Amino acid sequence: MEERVGVVSAGPADDQGRKRWLCISDGSGERIDASLTDDQIRVRFNLDRVTRAPKIDFCEGLLLDGPLAGTTAYAVNELGFLVQLTLPPRRPGGPVVTYEVVTLSTDDRPAELRHAPEAPQKS
């Protein structure tokens, strides 16, 4: 029998922050009370395991060089994070370039990303 796993979202699922999303490995999902413990969630939803998704800090980033120099894109605000972008004209299966976060975003400036042509491509 396949393991039933629940993943609790890092962010709120309502405007008051009292709910979180619970995504279950069978494809179902539900909003749950944010104060529930992992054990309470596991028992209530008959799960084998509960994990919590990490908070992801998305930010705007300035592309410093390469074919998209001077434009912006979104990335995870983490040094070394790689983002793949499709070159214009943007279409499925089009050519892809990789950029790496080299300077973190702050309240007053975007992250900075450098072209990383030698980075491994996602398949």
Side-chain angles (χ1 to χ4, degrees):
M1 181 150 78
E2 193 170 313
E3 183 180 43
R4 280 180 51 89
V5 178
V7 179
V8 179
S9 68
D14 67 352
D15 293 339
Q16 296 80 33
R18 294 187 203 131
K19 300 281 185 181
R20 296 276 186 258
W21 283 109
L22 172 65
C23 298
I24 301 175
S25 57
D26 65 7
S28 64
E30 192 162 327
R31 290 186 339 161
I32 61 169
D33 189 300
S35 67
L36 290 175
T37 67
D38 290 358
D39 283 338
Q40 290 169 323
I41 296 167
R42 189 180 50 73
V43 169
R44 183 175 295 172
F45 294 95
N46 193 28
L47 300 171
D48 297 305
R49 186 167 46 99
V50 173
T51 61
R52 299 215 173 230
K55 184 173 192 276
I56 299 174
D57 183 15
F58 287 105
C59 66
E60 188 173 34
L62 176 62
L63 307 178
L64 299 174
D65 57 359
L68 297 173
T71 62
T72 59
Y74 285 93
V76 174
N77 197 25
E78 179 180 298
L79 290 176
F81 180 82
L82 298 175
V83 62
Q84 291 187 332
L85 304 165
T86 305
L87 291 172
R90 289 175 172 80
R91 62 183 182 276
V96 174
V97 293
T98 302
Y99 280 81
E100 178 180 2
V101 175
V102 294
T103 304
L104 296 178
S105 171
T106 63
D107 289 338
D108 59 341
R109 66 176 172 77
E112 294 177 334
L113 289 83
R114 289 239 176 249
H115 185 224
E118 301 302 318
Q121 298 291 307
K122 298 175 190 172
S123 36

